Amino acid sequence: KRTVVLTMKASVIEMFLVLLVTGVHSNKETSKKIKRPKFTVPQINCDVKAGKIINPEFIVKCPAGCQDPKFHVYGTDVYASYSSVCGAAVHSGVLDNSGGKILVRKVAGLSGYKGSYSNGVQSLSLPRWRESFIVLESKPKKGVTYPSALTYSSSKSPAPQAGETTKAYQRPPIPATTAQPVTLMELLAVTVAVATPTILPSPSPSAASTTSIPRPEPVGQRSQEMDLWSATTYTSSQNRPGADPGRVPKEELSTQSLEPVSLGDPNCKIDLSFLIDGSTSIGKRRFRIQKQLLAGVAQALDIGPAGPLMGVVQYGDNPATHFNLKTHMNSRDLKTAIEKITQRGGLSNVGRAISFVTKNFFSKANGNRSSAPNVVVVMVDGWPTDKVEEASRLARESGINIFFITIEGAAENEKQYVVEPNFANKAVCRTNGFYSFHVQSWFGLHKTLQPLVKRVCDTDRLACSKTCLNSADIGFVIDGSSSVGTGNFRTVLQFVTNLTKEFEISDTDTRIGAVQYTYEQRLEFGFDQYSSKPDILNAIKRVGYWSGGTSTGAAINFALEQLFKKSKPNKRKLMILITDGRSYDDVRIPAMAAHLKGVITYAIGVAWAAQEELEVIATHSARDHSFFVDEFDNLYQYVPRIIQNICTEFNSQPRN
């Protein structure tokens, strides 16, 4: 019996050892086979609409050729989900017609979408739609897992490209357990592994890397510092009914939560750069107060793709961009990023920083939008250590609206150290007080928040965004009399085209209208008829030659009534008249009426045009507003000079 029992025990032990070895070997083989899947970017066709894709945020690869008008796009910057994903990417400028990778993010629907022409794509208008999306460059966020396979809203999903797996939307299945080899340790288990939630340590505040130069502090102010600003805390619920508190679903670990995303305030669509003072003399405490103002502005502005966007540049010895316009697309993310900014130290080279922003910050690659005014808010503790006047002038001429906030200026015994007296007035767009704030104490800085937000959003008063190329209603008055002839008339239209190409054309920028005249007058198209440069250029090509007499005075009156009476109040009114002969009627009274109504008139005469009539028609001084050429073929030579005169006149306006 003992022999039998011992034999049975040995057999059982041998069997368990075999199972143990088999299980270990099986686990090793399984671990060898399991590899972290490599992320592959799904490829889609040009006709795929965003609304067909369920995923809230995804990266895809678009093919070449999506600029084709058959791939419909609805909206500008923010697109209705009925749009072609890749067509919208080309329209937004993220891609060109050669295709590439993009990041698509779903956002809430809008009550209306405005069409526009951009990057070779004409988008359409739409009254309303249930869902929208924005297109960004394909730079994945850290900690976010993007799908390698897109989920479509129905089984009739678009045909996948090579290497892409598609699937129709269905309810997620209940996770099931998978059979594994039974091991000796499982049979003889005496301990149970308990899963516990992973708690991430909160980041500790980072100390500034610079040492501040001591300054006298107002007595009793230290305790008041934290009371000046109200902090908004954002929390999210982690507990769900029926959820296992010790287990976080994989989907929640790998994707962002689907919280409502603000599109921003459309009544304050600006591209804003804050130039913050990181010089050593400001100290840690004042630097923190400066960041509190930035966070308050970020919250008050309601950041979003359809409203204001904001970036931050810190200056000391040299400027450095912390984040550009497209880095953070909502107020919450922007405030979080502002909190993490640390002081750089150094001098207070404001002029160098303004030059840096002018040359580098407001670019398409950094998220600059041609339809939004460029605004820079410069914060200065005390005074700059370099000159700002020349750098600011170049910035203003580039269309940048500069605001200055100066805090705690030089005391009487410190004024000898100021490099450039009255530097703020030399820098800003207007010297009427609208663009500058002076704060006596850092502890009063919070009082500038509301007036600053109100002013930067007042786009009608942002004078520097208006340049000579984007702020006019230009009416061409074209002589179509018999003496011109068909061939020369086409040359005149080419001259009109060459001038038009120099301007920024849109409903909010420069607008173009045209009148042709003989004895009679004809409105070819008004200021509100076309709102894109390609449409305007095509309209000019379609103008037909009329033939007849030459009544220039009547034509000027007609243009005032039919064109310039409908001009917008904030637009400069420019009339460019081209004629080849003496008028049959009087031009003096109509010309005077144009001048009295504020219409700046350029008179271009060809061949038999009367020089004295040109000078009467032209705005004073006639030398800058009237031109004569002996042949139609020489008209093109005057395009640069006319543009230069228009811009010189615009830039010479007083800054008060």
Side-chain angles (χ1 to χ4, degrees):
K1 287 182 180 179
R2 285 180 181 175
T3 304
V4 171
V5 169
L6 289 171
T7 304
M8 288 177 64
K9 285 182 177 180
S11 300
V12 169
I13 291 170
E14 184 179 358
M15 180 182 69
F16 280 133
L17 289 173
V18 170
L19 286 171
L20 177 62
V21 172
T22 304
V24 170
H25 179 72
S26 174
N27 285 342
K28 285 182 178 179
E29 290 297 318
T30 304
S31 65
K32 286 180 182 178
K33 292 178 183 178
I34 297 174
K35 291 183 179 180
R36 190 182 186 93
K38 186 180 179 181
F39 172 63
T40 56
V41 178
Q43 300 182 37
I44 61 174
N45 292 323
C46 296
D47 60 351
V48 173
K49 298 174 181 177
K52 288 291 183 182
I53 301 172
I54 295 294
N55 309 79
E57 187 168 332
F58 51 90
I59 294 176
V60 291
K61 186 175 182 180
C62 293
C66 296
Q67 202 177 50
D68 195 306
K70 69 181 179 182
F71 306 121
H72 294 164
V73 177
Y74 299 87
T76 302
D77 296 333
V78 180
Y79 303 94
S81 63
Y82 194 61
S83 306
S84 156
V85 172
C86 298
V90 177
H91 182 272
S92 68
V94 174
L95 289 185
D96 56 26
N97 201 36
S98 62
K101 298 176 185 177
I102 56 170
L103 171 62
V104 178
R105 183 179 298 155
K106 299 284 188 73
V107 294
L110 299 179
S111 58
Y113 299 82
K114 187 175 180 181
S116 66
Y117 182 86
S118 180
N119 301 304
V121 176
Q122 177 64 59
S123 69
L124 307 173
S125 297
L126 196 67
R128 63 177 61 85
W129 197 249
R130 61 181 177 273
E131 182 185 53
S132 310
F133 69 99
I134 57 175
V135 183
L136 306 167
E137 290 183 358
S138 59
K139 293 181 180 177
K141 288 187 177 180
K142 291 182 180 179
V144 179
T145 301
Y146 296 93
S148 294
L150 300 176
T151 304
Y152 289 91
S153 60
S154 69
S155 58
K156 295 179 181 180
S157 56
Q161 296 280 342
E164 182 200 359
T165 305
T166 62
K167 52 186 177 180
Y169 175 70
Q170 55 187 7
R171 295 180 67 86
I174 300 172
T177 56
T178 306
Q180 300 287 342
V182 180
T183 66
L184 178 64
M185 297 304 293
E186 291 173 323
L187 292 173
L188 304 177
V190 292
T191 60
V192 179
V194 180
T196 58
T198 301
I199 300 175
L200 298 175
S202 58
S204 59
S206 58
S209 59
T210 58
T211 305
S212 63
I213 294 176
R215 277 190 173 188
E217 298 288 351
V219 179
Q221 291 285 359
R222 186 175 181 85
S223 62
Q224 298 175 18
E225 184 176 328
M226 297 306 294
D227 297 330
L228 297 177
W229 302 86
S230 60
T232 306
T233 306
Y234 292 86
T235 59
S236 60
S237 173
Q238 296 179 344
N239 299 321
R240 296 181 180 179
D244 182 356
R247 181 176 179 180
V248 180
K250 184 178 179 181
E251 294 82 359
E252 291 188 18
L253 289 172
S254 60
T255 60
Q256 293 176 313
S257 59
L258 298 178
E259 297 177 5
V261 179
S262 171
L263 296 175
D265 181 3
N267 296 317
C268 182
K269 188 176 180 182
I270 59 171
D271 289 342
L272 171 63
S273 171
F274 257 92
L275 264 177
I276 62 172
D277 191 340
S279 60
T280 305
S281 63
I282 192 174
K284 296 177 184 178
R285 191 179 184 190
R286 294 179 177 86
F287 189 78
R288 187 166 63 251
I289 296 174
Q290 186 175 217
K291 290 202 303 179
Q292 289 170 341
L293 176 68
L294 264 65
V297 171
Q299 181 64 37
L301 281 179
D302 186 14
I303 301 296
L309 296 178
M310 178 174 155
V312 174
V313 173
Q314 183 182 168
Y315 68 87
D317 290 335
N318 295 296
T321 302
H322 284 284
F323 37 85
N324 62 33
L325 294 167
K326 64 182 181 181
T327 308
H328 302 293
M329 303 297 284
N330 60 69
S331 295
R332 184 187 61 185
D333 291 349
L334 184 58
K335 287 175 66 178
T336 302
I338 290 168
E339 276 299 311
K340 296 177 181 177
I341 295 175
T342 56
Q343 186 180 356
R344 293 172 61 85
L347 298 174
S348 183
N349 290 332
V350 178
R352 184 177 295 178
I354 293 172
S355 295
F356 172 83
V357 169
T358 303
K359 295 174 183 176
N360 303 293
F361 189 86
F362 292 108
S363 66
K364 193 172 184 180
N366 287 336
N368 186 50
R369 300 166 292 179
S370 59
S371 58
N374 295 158
V375 180
V376 171
V377 178
V378 184
M379 301 187 66
V380 183
D381 173 46
W383 59 90
T385 52
D386 64 349
K387 293 188 176 183
V388 304
E389 184 174 13
E390 180 63 15
S392 300
R393 182 185 65 80
L394 294 173
R396 294 195 306 269
E397 290 179 0
S398 300
I400 297 173
N401 298 276
I402 300 180
F403 287 78
F404 258 69
I405 301 177
T406 56
I407 309 104
E408 296 183 0
E412 197 62 39
N413 62 339
E414 296 174 319
K415 288 183 178 179
Q416 58 182 319
Y417 304 114
V418 177
V419 176
E420 191 175 30
N422 200 26
F423 63 89
N425 272 346
K426 293 177 180 178
V428 295
C429 288
R430 292 285 183 270
T431 56
N432 57 7
F434 181 79
Y435 289 90
S436 56
F437 298 84
H438 179 68
V439 183
Q440 296 292 338
S441 164
W442 275 95
F443 300 104
L445 184 61
H446 66 286
K447 296 177 182 178
T448 65
L449 175 59
Q450 291 303 325
L452 175 64
V453 168
K454 185 177 180 180
R455 292 186 196 183
V456 298
C457 289
D458 190 353
T459 53
D460 289 336
R461 293 187 66 183
L462 294 181
C464 284
S465 292
K466 301 302 178 185
T467 69
C468 56
L469 301 178
N470 70 5
S471 59
D473 280 344
I474 302 177
F476 289 97
V477 181
I478 305 167
D479 185 348
S481 61
S482 302
S483 58
V484 174
T486 304
N488 288 333
F489 188 78
R490 305 317 301 177
T491 303
V492 171
L493 292 184
Q494 186 59 52
F495 171 71
V496 172
T497 297
N498 293 343
L499 280 170
T500 301
K501 284 179 179 178
E502 298 294 324
F503 292 90
E504 298 171 24
I505 308 295
S506 79
D507 184 55
T508 56
D509 295 315
T510 291
R511 303 188 303 169
I512 305 291
V515 167
Q516 184 182 175
Y517 73 95
T518 58
Y519 285 126
E520 300 177 284
Q521 306 83 36
R522 182 169 72 195
L523 179 66
E524 300 293 353
F525 50 88
F527 293 135
D528 56 357
Q529 194 163 343
Y530 302 107
S531 58
S532 72
K533 189 176 291 187
D535 288 345
I536 287 290
L537 298 181
N538 286 330
I540 294 169
K541 285 181 184 177
R542 292 194 299 267
V543 173
Y545 176 48
W546 204 356
S547 185
T550 309
S551 294
T552 305
I556 294 172
N557 280 332
F558 181 85
L560 293 176
E561 282 297 314
Q562 299 299 318
L563 270 181
F564 292 101
K565 198 170 184 179
K566 299 176 182 178
S567 183
K568 291 185 177 180
N570 61 338
K571 298 284 188 182
R572 296 176 72 227
K573 303 173 184 66
L574 302 178
M575 180 191 297
I576 300 177
L577 185 143
I578 308 112
T579 181
D580 81 326
R582 184 179 293 275
S583 177
Y584 292 171
D585 62 355
D586 183 63
V587 299
R588 289 172 297 178
I589 294 175
M592 188 180 295
H595 301 162
L596 290 173
K597 290 181 179 180
V599 178
I600 301 167
T601 307
Y602 287 80
I604 295 97
V606 189
W608 302 279
Q611 185 70 42
E612 68 273 16
E613 282 189 352
L614 298 178
E615 293 177 359
V616 168
I617 294 168
T619 297
H620 183 75
S621 66
R623 181 184 63 183
D624 296 324
H625 297 87
S626 67
F627 305 93
F628 180 84
V629 293
D630 52 357
E631 294 182 7
F632 285 93
D633 290 341
N634 292 330
L635 276 170
Y636 75 94
Q637 298 176 2
Y638 282 86
V639 171
R641 186 172 168 189
I642 293 169
I643 295 296
Q644 182 182 5
N645 286 8
I646 289 172
C647 288
T648 300
E649 190 171 49
F650 177 88
N651 293 329
S652 66
Q653 295 178 98
R655 290 180 50 238
N656 51 32

